[in-house]
Amino acid sequence: MRKRVYSGIRATGRLHLGNYLGAVKGMLALQDEYDCIFSVVDLHTITVPYDPKTLQQSVREIILDYLAAGLDPKKCLLEIQSRVPQHMELAYYLSTIYPVSRLEDLPTYKEKKAQYPKYVNMGLLYYPVLMAADVLLYKGELVPVGIDQEPHLEVMREIARKFNGVYGETFPEPTRFKTTGEYVPSLSGVGKMSKSVEGSYITLTDDLETIRKRLAAAPTDSGTEGGSVPETGNVANLFKLMKLFVDDSTYKKFAQDYQDKKIRYSDMKDVLADAIFQELTPLQEKRKEFSQNPKLVDEILESSNQECHERAQEVVNEVREKMGFSS
Ligand code: TYM
């Protein structure tokens, strides 16, 4: 049997380069060979403040980004999490075997608590349990996500192990599928590229001028430090992005310029902007085609979600039976 793959992205706006390189590239690498389901996890989206009026539009944007990036509905299923309510049912069952204290200790929970001190809700604490249910609902084995999701993967494995121990062998222990872009740094110099930090990201639909503007605002140094390229800090982040988008010889040229204290960051940013835009151009063209054909997108979603629904129910039935309910 082909390995089962599951991954999802929240509907918080258009995808940025972090999502693309850390998650979508992994999805693309796996869809040819494995049994894949890729989701827009809208139930996870509502754990932080959001606007119900625009939620559906945001879900649609991610679906269009997925299709534009090359996720192929002939090869994988595209799911909208809330249309498969078995996610919530399984999450509840799984929550009964997992300690609250472990959830309170997770870095993502602590970060969100600090970010939205007036919005510390049960859903936020429950987030990793629902995420475990997402993958286990399809007995997923491989999960293409960025490195920031590793603590959630650990929770998933703990839950699978515990469930198997208590109720009998049911779930595989999922592992993360890594990409070279598993950690894309922020353009602002601090932390990772993130939608919630303005000035930190480039989206997949940005035009060349916007990409240039965003890169121009990224902090650098005087350019007269010399020596090897630093491993942390603003300049390191720019070089990390260079490595992800330009060829080896171009990278080496700028690394050499840095060493020789003659680097011109504006030149480097221009080269980087062009390289990013070149990679994004075919995506943007494809996106336009799909957005002009909403009926086709609806049909894709309809048949995908139908199939997900059926598969999910089988696993929920198995779980219910093992836990002492009738299926
Ligand atoms: P979200 O929407 O926060 O992130 C979506 C994906 O993008 C990756 N990512 C990054 N990768 C590299 N560098 C970055 N700067 C960067 N920023 C974001 C994330 O690692 C993630 O892969 N909890 C998940 C959503 C989820 C999920 C699931 C994923 C819910 N259920 C089941 C897989 C399986 C998340 O972080 O979404």
Side-chain angles (χ1 to χ4, degrees):
M1 218 164 59
R2 289 188 306 160
K3 262 200 171 139
R4 283 172 303 257
V5 177
Y6 185 95
S7 189
I9 295 185
R10 286 175 305 141
T12 48
R14 297 196 173 187
L15 295 190
H16 57 66
L17 291 181
N19 304 134
Y20 178 59
L21 298 165
V24 179
K25 282 257 179 162
M27 300 176 190
L28 290 167
L30 295 171
Q31 67 171 351
D32 287 331
E33 248 185 272
Y34 298 113
D35 184 2
C36 298
I37 300 179
F38 301 126
S39 186
V40 182
V41 287
D42 48 354
L43 296 169
H44 279 101
T45 310
I46 64 170
T47 54
V48 294
Y50 78 104
D51 181 357
K53 288 196 204 76
T54 55
L55 181 62
Q56 281 319 304
Q57 186 51 36
S58 305
V59 168
R60 191 72 170 197
E61 299 291 357
I62 306 288
I63 291 289
L64 288 174
D65 278 341
Y66 273 168
L67 291 166
L71 293 188
D72 181 350
K74 290 196 195 76
K75 296 178 181 166
C76 63
L77 293 172
L78 294 180
E79 182 201 56
I80 294 175
Q81 185 193 30
S82 63
R83 292 202 201 165
V84 184
Q86 289 92 336
H87 284 275
M88 289 181 279
E89 184 176 355
L90 181 61
Y92 176 73
Y93 298 142
L94 299 179
S95 75
T96 63
I97 56 164
Y98 202 69
V100 173
S101 56
R102 185 69 182 91
L103 295 170
E104 283 170 335
D105 259 355
L106 286 173
T108 36
Y109 176 64
K110 288 181 179 161
E111 275 162 30
K112 286 283 184 290
K113 240 171 96 171
Q115 198 178 352
Y116 304 104
K118 295 207 174 102
Y119 213 81
V120 185
N121 57 75
M122 274 294 292
L124 209 52
L125 188 67
Y126 199 70
Y127 186 112
V129 179
L130 180 59
M131 182 163 162
D134 293 341
V135 176
L136 299 179
L137 187 59
Y138 300 104
K139 302 200 176 183
E141 295 153 278
L142 266 182
V143 184
V145 283
I147 198 167
D148 60 321
Q149 296 300 305
E150 198 55 78
H152 289 154
L153 264 289
E154 193 49 45
V155 173
M156 238 175 247
R157 287 188 285 270
E158 285 169 12
I159 289 180
R161 226 174 289 142
K162 183 89 184 282
F163 190 95
N164 293 344
V166 177
Y167 298 107
E169 198 60 30
T170 309
F171 297 119
E173 289 184 29
T175 50
R176 188 168 70 89
F177 179 78
K178 300 172 188 167
T179 63
T180 48
E182 65 178 11
Y183 182 90
V184 179
S186 158
L187 296 182
S188 63
V190 187
K192 62 168 187 163
M193 185 172 285
S194 159
K195 206 52 200 283
S196 56
V197 183
E198 198 44 54
S200 84
Y201 60 85
I202 289 170
T203 74
L204 302 191
T205 42
D206 283 344
D207 57 22
L208 181 57
E209 201 189 321
T210 309
I211 297 172
R212 285 214 171 111
K213 241 194 273 166
R214 292 195 197 270
L215 282 175
T220 52
D221 61 17
S222 64
T224 54
E225 302 292 310
S228 53
V229 172
E231 292 195 356
T232 55
N234 301 330
V235 170
N237 285 355
L238 270 185
F239 271 100
K240 276 182 200 156
L241 275 175
M242 288 288 280
K243 194 151 234 162
L244 290 164
F245 285 99
V246 305
D247 59 44
D248 241 22
S249 65
T250 310
Y251 180 90
K252 282 189 183 133
K253 177 208 168 296
F254 283 102
Q256 188 63 48
D257 286 352
Y258 182 86
Q259 186 160 13
D260 301 341
K261 304 183 185 182
K262 57 176 196 188
I263 187 152
R264 288 169 55 104
Y265 290 117
S266 56
D267 290 352
M268 182 158 117
K269 286 175 172 181
D270 278 347
V271 169
L272 181 55
D274 286 343
I276 292 173
F277 185 63
Q278 201 180 342
E279 172 138 2
L280 297 185
T281 305
L283 272 77
Q284 295 179 0
E285 283 164 5
K286 212 160 166 193
R287 194 182 204 281
K288 218 179 274 164
E289 284 170 31
F290 280 108
S291 62
Q292 284 165 356
N293 197 344
K295 204 161 157 269
L296 173 66
V297 177
D298 287 342
E299 280 165 12
I300 291 168
L301 291 175
E302 185 60 36
S303 74
S304 261
N305 282 289
Q306 174 82 19
E307 165 104 24
C308 288
H309 207 278
E310 283 163 24
R311 289 202 203 178
Q313 194 56 46
E314 274 180 37
V315 176
V316 163
N317 287 349
E318 183 184 346
V319 167
R320 282 177 58 83
E321 207 156 301
K322 284 185 169 155
M323 290 184 80
F325 301 100
S326 64
S327 63

